[in-house]
């Protein structure tokens, strides 16, 4: 007969029934609760609301006489063992109400009659009358929680409900104590509160217990005699683990981490009989040179400490612990899983499970150009012939590419340009041979896979540095073939959106399973230079040095050097030499080059008639600067900014008119493009990125034409054409048409006086006497019109000249003379009025005649002369002696008839205010850009004169030898019929006429700078070469 | 216009002088006799030479210079007119010089050399005056000899092509003789150092050689 109350309650009111053998069979639908080990069973029983003595009594009834024990757990243990053995049963009688109470509403009743309700701090507000239990120390709080005798299940409920920190200790007892400690902490921190209420009911144990007859209670037979084999199991996706080089440590904080592919391993404890489930966990041990790191997730965020046992709930009862492992040290290793010993004797633990695996190191080497060594390469460009320079360039051997460190593979990456027409370089990559000893046995058939990936951009693989065959990606390589290194070459295919967004990685796969990626990997930055250009914005009112529409760069408009420098000049212009990538990628090194057009050094471009011209000898300072040292192979560079633009302000254009350059750009990793030579058979094959516009070096020179408004100025087109050969653009500015009537003191003559044409047209004769009236009309050059010269256009040009005193012999009283210059080798012009104003006849002009007995003398003045319209020459002056001698005559017989004859000639001494000329033009002098040009309807002569005089302003024809490396001018001369220094190309010597030195004068010259303006409008090659090199920033410059 | 002053190497100078003397002795009959005492150039009178055709005495030219009033020296044109006025109505070939000496560098910043050239058209055609007249001077302290063209050559003109220039007269009436008077600021033209020193000046035109005049620059004139 049942004598004990077999209905038992736990702290939450759940109801259990003890079932003894005498109670008959348990209904089939009810499953008794299974107990495996003493600790958990004892814990369960302790959680039931009965007093300790209940277990004493029950023990007594169940097993009869039993020694008394003071140990309160002794009797509990006795009952627990009977439950484990199945000799008594216990099953749950559902109490839905209790089970569905939330933790907060559960009432905990202590044996002493106190009742506690667990509440949150919020509940205090809604229950103002209630008091909560207070604790003075954590120890007191922990003891209180422990006194509630909550089982692990209840403790877990509390921790979860109040979101308390989970305990670290996973061992069974340790865990329970940790849960209690965790709740104790929360109680102290008043995250969890207990309403305290005294209930006057007797202790629970007294309610449920009824003293009984002490007849023994029959026990059932032991039912758990079968042993359960516990087997440790290991299953691995691969038996290889990729060695993790920790490359992610080199990634930036914002970069998505590229994890080395991990190997999935499953661990579990199997048992031949599924129930009861093994109650212990397992130990994992590793041995061998290979070291691994294990994680609970594929993303490798939660690491597993393999030195600690794995709890049974993770690996038993059909559960498998999945871990993902990556290699920390290469080499083979063994993983062993050993089940922990159980106190439950039913479980028969089998030998540990072992699996041989290997941590395999994959190595992908990525190379870049050795830019430091390349920067040291020197090639002398100043060689003759220039083909020698080109040959040297072809012979340049670049140093081998250098391997990037692991850090640089990630942090820096390899920069590549998107390939086009084979212009751009490739990066060497090497798949290193595998180390056989790292592989577990039976792993001969795995494959390495070289794959590309990344957020943006792409690369292509080739089998050689240049040209060659493309190798498809992903590339699978058999392990058997990787006993030696495999070399490949990578080129850019599609540009990245940002730095290092293209990757190559090495992975491993076996038997068609998914590849474990990123065993080794490297970053690439694939870029594309979208454009290279020269952009100049000129401030208002400043010189436009760059005519983009005509590709002309005027290097002379801002002094000798400033305009040549492709650099902003505050307040004048903003200059940008810029290369822009298609994407906004910063930190990419871009070289800029001024690539000379092949014409630059071509002698025919300079002039076929130049003798001994050698481009290499042309002064270096005149040539472009795009390298730190002219002999450097590589050019100046700049790095791109956040906008993907690189700007450079240190390029300098050449000063040589006619030079043509292409602005080019190439990456620091494409230094081979520094060898580009325009027009060369081989060196022109691989091109940098060029600007759309070429840059042709020009100089611009402004002229102001000042001329009589009453004339139509003939075309100056031929002048412009003349200078275009020398790459000087003549631009007319500030034209000034003057009205002769408004120029004070200007004396006009009738034309016949100068050309004996009989024309009475009034003309303006400009010369040294009056030219200031015209030169003052020069408008000072501004920033937009300098350098500038003044072309004063004249009808005729003569210079006033005070003639010498000349004696003529008259055989008649009236005679015409021809007045010559002091040297007697040229006629002077005698005009009325004289150019210098005043009297024509100068003192002391006089005459003397000896009549045979007496000498007669008298003075002459303007009344004695006449300049007649019908005269045959501009030097001709008609002189009429007085008919009789004057009163002042020393003869003493004034009034004597003066009758010179051939036999008795009169001596006529005249000194006239005359003029030298006629001149076709006059050039200015240093600091005086004023030229006089005689208007000539013959366009050839007219323009010849203009070009000639401008030429003189630029120091043509050069006398200097060894100047700027330009051949000495072979046709330069002075005198020989001209004034100053001129050019005699194609001239011959006159048969008889000589100059003041007795040298024959030249005739028939064909250059603009021939001493006479005969109508030549082409500068000879030598004069042209000079003008191409001359500093045109002002007149008379070097 | 820059003068073409240059320093001659001593060897060249010596050769030049020897040749000049030989030429003048043979062709020009240069006289070595004294030509009288200048009112203002006492220390140079003993060195004046009679140059030229015996029939056209250089003395005449020298006297023409000696007769002018040097107070007119401040005006080049005035002094020229004065010289022209002094010339006889005869045709004398030769070159005469006159210079005021000594000159105090403290009192004067420059001084002028008066040059009178008489030359026949025949001689002028052989050695055109404009292109052949040279001033030769010697610094007596350093014995350095220098020379410069008397008439600077214009270098900035381009002549008309011949077909644009009227044809020369068919039967020109040309001078038989000419005189030219030049007044040269020697400090400006010769670029001599304006420090106490002594110089001699001569002017040469082809085979014509002037008298030699001494010139002294002093700190203060007594």
């Amino acid at each position: 007969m049942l004598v004990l109350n077999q209905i038992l309650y736990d702290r939450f009111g759940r109801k259990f029934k003890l079932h003894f053998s005498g109670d008959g069979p348990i209904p089939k639908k009810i499953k008794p609760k299974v107990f495996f080990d003493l600790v958990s069973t004892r814990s369960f029983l302790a959680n039931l609301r009965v007093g300790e003595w209940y277990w004493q009594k029950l023990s007594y009834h169940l097993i009869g006489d039993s020694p008394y024990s003071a140990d309160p757990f002794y009797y509990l243990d006795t009952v627990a063992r009977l439950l484990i053995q199945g000799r008594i049963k216990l099953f749950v009688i559902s109490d839905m109400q209790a089970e569905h109470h939330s933790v907060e509403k559960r009432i905990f009743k202590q044996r002493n009659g106190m009742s506690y309700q667990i509440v949150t701090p919020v509940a205090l507000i809604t229950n103002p009358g209630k008091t909560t239990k207070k604790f003075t120390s954590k120890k007191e709080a922990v003891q209180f929680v422990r006194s509630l005798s909550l089982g692990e299940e209840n403790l877990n409920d509390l921790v979860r409900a109040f979101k308390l920190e989970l305990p670290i200790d996973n061992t069974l007892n340790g865990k329970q104590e940790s849960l209690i400690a965790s709740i104790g902490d929360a109680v102290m921190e008043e995250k969890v509160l207990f309403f305290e209420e005294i209930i006057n009911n007797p202790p629970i144990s007294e309610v449920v217990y009824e003293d009984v007859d002490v007849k023994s209670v029959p026990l059932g037979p032991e039912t758990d005699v079968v042993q359960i084999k516990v087997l440790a199991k290991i299953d691995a996706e691969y038996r290889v683990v990729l060695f993790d080089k920790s490359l992610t440590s080199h990634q930036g904080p914002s970069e998505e981490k590229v994890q080395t592919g991990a190997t999935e391993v499953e661990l579990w404890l199997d048992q031949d009989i599924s129930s009861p489930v093994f109650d212990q966990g397992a130990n994992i041990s590793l041995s061998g040179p290979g070291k691994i790191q294990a994680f609970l997730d594929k993303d490798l965020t939660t690491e597993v400490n393999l030195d600690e046992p794995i709890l049974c709930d993770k690996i038993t009862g059909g559960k498998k612990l999945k871990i993902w492992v990556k290699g920390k040290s290469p080499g083979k290793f063994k993983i062993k899983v050993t089940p922990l010993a159980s106190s439950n004797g039913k479980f028969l633990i089998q030998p540990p499970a072992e699996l041989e695996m290997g941590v395999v190191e994959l190595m992908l080497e990525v190379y870049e150009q050795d830019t430091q060594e390349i920067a040291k390469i020197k090639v002398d460009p100043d060689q003759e012939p220039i083909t020698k320079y080109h040959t040297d360039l072809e012979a340049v051997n670049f140093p081998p590419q250098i391997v990037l460190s692991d850090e640089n593979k990630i942090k820096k990456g390899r920069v590549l340009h998107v390939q086009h027409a084979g212009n751009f370089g490739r990066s060497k990559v090497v798949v290193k041979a595998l180390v056989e000893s790292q592989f577990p046995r039976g792993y001969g058939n795995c494959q390495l896979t070289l794959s590309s990936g990344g957020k943006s951009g792409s690369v292509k693989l080739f089998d050689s540095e240049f040209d060659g065959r493309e190798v498809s990606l992903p590339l699978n390589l058999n392990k058997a073939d990787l006993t030696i290194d495999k070399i490949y070459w990578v080129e850019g295919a599609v540009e990245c959106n940002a730095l290092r967004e293209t990757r190559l990685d090495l992975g491993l796969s076996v038997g068609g399973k998914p590849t474990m990626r990123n065993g080794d990997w490297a970053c690439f930055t694939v870029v594309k230079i979208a454009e290279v250009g020269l952009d100049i914005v000129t401030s208002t009112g400043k010189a436009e040095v760059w005519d983009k529409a005509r590709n002309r760069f005027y290097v002379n408009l801002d002094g000798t050097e400033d305009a040549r420098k492709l650099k902003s000049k505050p307040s004048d212009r903003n200059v940008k030499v810029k290369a822009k990538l298609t994407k906004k990628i910063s930190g990419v090194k871009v070289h800029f080059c001024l690539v000379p057009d092949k014409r630059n050094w071509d002698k025919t471009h300079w002039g076929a008639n130049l003798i001994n011209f050698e481009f290499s000898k042309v002064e270096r300072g005149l040539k472009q600067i795009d390298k730190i040292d002219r002999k450097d192979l590589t050019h100046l560079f700049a790095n791109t900014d956040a906008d993907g633009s690189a700007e450079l302000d240190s390029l300098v254009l050449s000063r040589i008119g006619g030079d043509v350059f292409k602005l080019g750009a190439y990456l620091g990793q494409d230094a081979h493009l520094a060898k580009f030579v325009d027009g060369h058979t081989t060196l022109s094959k691989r091109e940098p990125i060029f600007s759309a516009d070429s840059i042709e070096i020009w100089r611009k020179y402004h002229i102001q034409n000042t001329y009589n408004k009453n004339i139509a100025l003939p075309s100056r087109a031929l002048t412009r054409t003349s200078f275009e050969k020398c790459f000087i653009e003549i631009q007319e500015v500030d034209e000034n048409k003057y009205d002769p009537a408004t120029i004070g003191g200007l004396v006009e003559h009738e034309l016949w006086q100068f050309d004996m044409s009989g024309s009475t047209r009034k003309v303006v004769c400009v010369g040294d006497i009056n030219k200031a009236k015209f030169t003052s009309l020069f408008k000072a050059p501004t920033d937009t019109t300098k350098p500038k010269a003044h072309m004063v256009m004249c009808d005729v040009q003569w210079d006033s000249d005070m003639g010498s005193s000349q004696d003529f012999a008259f055989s008649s009283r009236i005679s015409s003379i021809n007045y010559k210059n002091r040297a007697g080798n040229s006629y002077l012009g005698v005009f009325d009025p004289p150019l210098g104003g005043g009297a024509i006849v100068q003192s002391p002009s006089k005459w003397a005649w000896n009549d045979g007995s007496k000498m007669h003398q008298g003075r002459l003045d303007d009344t004695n002369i006449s300049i007649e319209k019908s005269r045959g020459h501009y030097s001709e002056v008609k002189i009429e002696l007085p008919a009789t001698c004057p009163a002042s005559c020393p003869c003493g017989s004034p009034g004597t008839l003066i009758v010179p004859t051939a036999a008795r000639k009169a001596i006529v001494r005249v000194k006239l205010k005359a003029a030298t000329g006629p001149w076709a033009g006059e050039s200015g002098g240093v600091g005086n850009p004023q030229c006089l040009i005689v208007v000539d309807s013959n366009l050839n002569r007219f323009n010849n004169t203009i070009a000639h005089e401008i030429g003189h302003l630029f120091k043509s024809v050069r006398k200097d030898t060894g100047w700027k490396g330009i051949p000495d001018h072979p046709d330069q001369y002075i005198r020989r019929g001209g004034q100053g220094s001129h050019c005699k190309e194609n001239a011959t010597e006159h048969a008889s006429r000589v100059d003041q030195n007795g040298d024959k004068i030249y005739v028939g010259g064909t250059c603009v700078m021939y001493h006479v303006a005969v109508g030549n409008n082409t500068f000879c090659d030598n004069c042209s070469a000079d003008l191409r090199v001359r500093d045109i920033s002002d007149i008379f410059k070097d | 216009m820059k003068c073409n002053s240059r320093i001659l190497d001593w060897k060249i100078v010596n050769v030049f002088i020897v040749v000049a003397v030989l030429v003048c002795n043979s062709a020009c009959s240069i006289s070595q006799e004294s030509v009288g005492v200048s009112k203002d150039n006492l220390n140079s009178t003993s060195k004046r030479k009679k140059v030229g055709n015996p029939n056209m005495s250089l003395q005449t030219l020298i006297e023409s210079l000696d007769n002018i009033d040097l107070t007119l020296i401040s005006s080049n044109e005035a002094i020229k007119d004065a010289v022209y006025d002094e010339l006889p109505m005869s045709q004398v070939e030769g070159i005469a010089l006159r210079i005021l000496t000594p000159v105090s560098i403290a009192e004067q910043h420059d001084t002028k050399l008066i040059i009178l050239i008489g030359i026949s058209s025949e001689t002028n055609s052989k050695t055109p005056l404009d292109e052949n007249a040279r001033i030769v001077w010697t610094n007596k302290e350093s014995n350095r000899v220098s020379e410069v063209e008397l008439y600077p050559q214009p270098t900035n003109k381009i002549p008309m092509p011949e077909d644009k220039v009227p044809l020369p007269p068919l039967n020109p009436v040309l001078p038989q003789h000419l005189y030219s008077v030049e007044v040269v600021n020697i400090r400006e033209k010769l670029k001599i150092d304006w420090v106490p020193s002594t110089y001699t000046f001569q002017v040469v035109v082809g085979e014509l050689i002037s008298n030699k005049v001494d010139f002294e620059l002093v700190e203060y004139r007594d």
Side-chain angles (χ1 to χ4, degrees), chain B residues 99-187:
Chain B
I99 191 166
L100 179 70
T101 190
V103 166
S104 163
I105 59 174
E107 296 168 8
Q108 285 183 244
H109 297 299
D110 56 27
T111 195
K112 293 170 179 173
L113 174 67
I114 305 167
I115 305 166
L116 171 57
I117 302 171
I119 188 168
S120 69
S121 292
E122 185 183 358
T123 304
N124 203 16
S125 68
K126 291 176 184 170
T127 52
L129 196 52
D130 279 21
E131 298 149 8
N132 292 280
R134 284 175 169 75
I135 304 172
V136 181
W137 74 97
T138 305
N139 182 309
K140 295 174 80 171
E141 275 76 25
S142 64
N143 274 333
R144 293 179 68 180
V145 178
S146 309
E147 68 169 30
V148 67
E149 289 178 340
L150 174 57
Y151 301 107
Q153 298 299 306
T155 58
N156 61 341
K157 295 286 188 184
I158 181 168
M160 277 287 180
E162 288 187 356
D163 63 344
K164 279 284 286 183
V165 179
L167 292 171
L170 288 174
N171 299 299
V173 178
L174 298 174
Q176 297 173 323
H177 191 89
L178 69 84
Y179 290 104
S180 186
V181 180
E182 309 300 334
V183 181
V184 176
N185 182 329
I186 59 167
R187 187 181 183 190

Side-chain angles (χ1 to χ4, degrees), chain A residues 327-602:
Chain A
K328 298 305 291 178
S329 293
K332 281 196 282 251
F333 68 97
K334 272 186 183 172
I335 182 166
K336 185 163 82 175
V337 179
T338 307
L340 294 171
S342 171
S343 59
N344 187 340
K346 290 179 187 174
F347 295 110
L348 185 61
I349 295 174
Q350 299 300 300
E354 281 189 351
L355 185 66
E356 186 188 54
M357 299 180 74
V359 175
V360 176
E361 181 176 15
L362 307 184
M363 285 197 285
L364 177 67
E365 287 182 345
V366 175
Y367 290 72
E368 66 173 2
Q369 297 291 354
D370 189 349
T371 52
Q372 287 190 341
E373 285 302 311
I374 290 172
K376 296 175 186 171
I377 297 173
K378 303 278 183 185
V379 186
D380 186 0
D382 298 316
Q383 299 186 67
E384 205 65 37
I386 196 147
T387 50
K388 190 167 184 318
Y389 165 53
H390 299 157
T391 303
D392 287 353
L393 273 179
E394 284 184 288
V396 166
N397 284 318
F398 283 99
Q401 294 189 20
I402 53 175
V403 68
L404 288 169
S405 66
D406 279 350
E407 181 176 356
N408 282 339
K409 275 197 299 192
I410 310 305
K411 230 178 202 174
K412 179 180 167 189
R414 173 61 148 94
V415 177
L416 292 167
H417 194 282
V418 172
Q419 188 60 273
H420 174 70
N423 288 330
F424 304 103
R426 293 171 180 165
S427 167
K428 179 181 175 182
V429 295
V430 177
V431 178
K432 300 293 285 183
L434 294 171
V435 179
E436 180 60 37
S437 63
Q438 296 171 354
F439 285 84
R441 279 184 293 277
Y443 255 68
N445 62 342
C446 63
Q447 283 188 323
L448 256 68
T449 304
L450 181 61
S451 312
S452 65
K455 282 179 73 176
S456 67
S458 66
V459 293
K460 287 181 178 176
L461 198 65
F462 286 80
D463 60 2
S464 68
E465 184 170 10
F466 304 109
D467 305 320
R469 185 179 58 86
E470 184 179 350
V471 179
S472 297
L473 285 171
L475 168 65
N476 293 320
L477 297 164
N478 290 326
K479 175 173 170 279
D481 296 331
L482 281 166
T483 53
I484 56 168
D485 297 348
K486 297 286 185 185
I487 300 172
Y488 299 96
W489 301 88
V490 175
E491 70 177 29
V494 176
E495 64 266 44
C496 298
N497 292 328
L499 280 169
R500 304 182 297 278
E501 285 201 339
T502 294
R503 290 197 302 273
L504 271 186
D505 78 274
L506 267 183
L508 193 72
S509 66
V510 182
K513 293 180 186 174
T515 302
M516 287 188 291
R517 301 279 296 266
N518 306 317
D520 195 4
W521 55 280
C523 293
F524 294 82
T525 303
V526 184
V527 300
K528 184 177 179 182
I529 298 174
E531 57 179 338
V532 185
L534 172 63
D535 187 22
I536 297 182
V537 178
T538 305
S539 305
T540 304
K542 301 294 180 181
E544 293 273 6
V545 297
W546 174 227
D547 183 344
K548 186 177 171 67
R550 295 198 294 168
N551 298 339
R552 290 183 176 184
F553 199 103
Y554 304 101
V555 294
N556 70 319
L557 295 183
D558 192 8
T560 306
E561 299 292 339
D562 281 3
R564 287 177 63 195
K565 295 175 183 170
L566 296 179
K567 182 178 185 178
S568 293
K569 188 174 181 184
S571 82
D572 277 27
R573 58 187 168 275
N574 187 28
V575 179
K576 281 186 180 175
V577 173
K578 188 166 76 174
K580 188 170 174 58
L581 304 179
T582 52
K583 305 290 183 182
K584 294 180 178 180
I585 298 176
S586 64
V588 177
K589 185 178 182 180
V590 179
H591 290 273
F592 291 86
C593 49
L594 289 167
V595 176
D597 189 278
K598 62 185 176 186
R599 287 173 294 176
N600 291 11
W601 57 78
D602 184 8

Side-chain angles (χ1 to χ4, degrees), chain B residues 8-125:
Chain B
L8 296 181
D9 182 87
W10 256 114
K11 289 181 182 175
I12 298 172
V13 170
N14 289 335
V15 169
F16 169 77
I17 291 172
V18 169
V19 170
V21 168
L22 287 174
V23 168
C24 292
N25 282 339
S26 59
C28 306
S29 303
I30 296 175
S31 169
Q32 300 296 313
E33 63 182 289
S34 172
V35 291
V37 178
S38 167
K39 289 182 282 191
D40 45 64
N41 195 5
L42 294 173
N43 64 352
S44 69
T45 51
S46 63
K47 296 173 185 171
R48 286 190 178 175
K49 307 293 185 293
K50 185 177 181 182
V51 179
N53 192 316
N55 297 325
M56 299 180 181
S57 171
L58 177 60
Q59 184 62 30
T60 308
L61 299 181
I62 292 171
E63 286 173 357
S64 296
L65 290 184
D66 286 347
N67 288 339
I68 62 170
D69 178 5
L70 283 186
T71 59
L72 300 172
I73 197 76
S74 59
S75 166
N76 288 1
E77 291 310 311
I79 204 90
K80 283 182 180 180
D81 286 349
V83 174
Y84 282 123
D85 258 349
E86 286 294 326
L87 287 172
M89 281 302 284
S90 55
Q91 295 165 355
V92 181
E93 193 163 44
I95 305 170
L97 308 181
R98 186 177 174 190
I99 191 166
L100 179 70
T101 190
V103 166
S104 163
I105 59 174
E107 296 168 8
Q108 285 183 244
H109 297 299
D110 56 27
T111 195
K112 293 170 179 173
L113 174 67
I114 305 167
I115 305 166
L116 171 57
I117 302 171
I119 188 168
S120 69
S121 292
E122 185 183 358
T123 304
N124 203 16
S125 68

Side-chain angles (χ1 to χ4, degrees), chain A residues 1016-1031:
Chain A
N1016 300 332
N1017 282 296
T1018 303
F1019 287 97
C1020 74
D1021 288 348
N1022 285 283
C1023 288
S1024 173
D1026 277 13
L1027 287 169
R1028 286 181 59 181
V1029 172
R1030 182 69 62 186
D1031 179 359

Side-chain angles (χ1 to χ4, degrees), chain A residues 529-711:
Chain A
I529 298 174
E531 57 179 338
V532 185
L534 172 63
D535 187 22
I536 297 182
V537 178
T538 305
S539 305
T540 304
K542 301 294 180 181
E544 293 273 6
V545 297
W546 174 227
D547 183 344
K548 186 177 171 67
R550 295 198 294 168
N551 298 339
R552 290 183 176 184
F553 199 103
Y554 304 101
V555 294
N556 70 319
L557 295 183
D558 192 8
T560 306
E561 299 292 339
D562 281 3
R564 287 177 63 195
K565 295 175 183 170
L566 296 179
K567 182 178 185 178
S568 293
K569 188 174 181 184
S571 82
D572 277 27
R573 58 187 168 275
N574 187 28
V575 179
K576 281 186 180 175
V577 173
K578 188 166 76 174
K580 188 170 174 58
L581 304 179
T582 52
K583 305 290 183 182
K584 294 180 178 180
I585 298 176
S586 64
V588 177
K589 185 178 182 180
V590 179
H591 290 273
F592 291 86
C593 49
L594 289 167
V595 176
D597 189 278
K598 62 185 176 186
R599 287 173 294 176
N600 291 11
W601 57 78
D602 184 8
K603 181 173 174 287
T604 56
H605 178 54
W606 281 80
N609 292 331
L610 288 182
I611 299 169
N612 298 326
F613 172 80
E614 293 181 359
F615 181 73
S616 64
K617 290 183 178 172
V618 176
E619 194 173 285
R620 288 180 185 177
L622 305 175
K623 297 175 180 174
Q624 82 280 10
I625 299 173
D626 57 1
K627 298 173 180 177
I628 293 173
D629 180 278
R630 259 183 79 72
K631 292 181 182 176
D632 285 349
L633 175 68
T634 54
H635 300 79
L636 295 164
F637 66 90
N639 290 327
T640 56
D641 58 16
D643 200 37
S645 293
E647 292 183 19
L648 189 71
D649 65 359
S650 48
L651 293 180
V652 179
L653 292 171
S654 90
R655 198 181 93 177
I656 302 168
D659 270 2
V660 179
F661 299 96
K662 278 185 177 176
L663 179 62
Y666 58 89
L667 301 181
Q669 289 296 322
D670 286 329
H672 63 279
L673 297 175
K675 293 166 70 173
F676 179 84
V677 172
D678 181 46
H680 192 274
T681 310
T682 55
L683 294 173
S684 65
K685 283 186 174 172
R686 309 187 75 201
E687 295 184 356
I689 303 294
F690 286 122
S691 62
D693 306 312
S694 58
I695 301 171
E696 190 167 21
I697 305 300
W698 276 77
R699 286 72 49 74
K700 186 181 282 186
Y701 197 71
H702 304 89
I703 58 173
Q704 174 188 329
N705 294 324
T706 295
Y707 58 99
N708 188 336
K709 76 178 182 65
N710 300 318
I711 66 164

Side-chain angles (χ1 to χ4, degrees), chain A residues 747-766:
Chain A
V747 176
E748 293 179 273
H749 294 77
E750 291 181 347
L751 181 59
W752 64 262
Q753 292 210 45
F754 304 99
D755 66 359
M756 285 65 68
S757 63
S759 170
T760 56
R761 179 168 70 87
K762 294 281 189 181
V763 296
V764 175
C765 175
V766 182

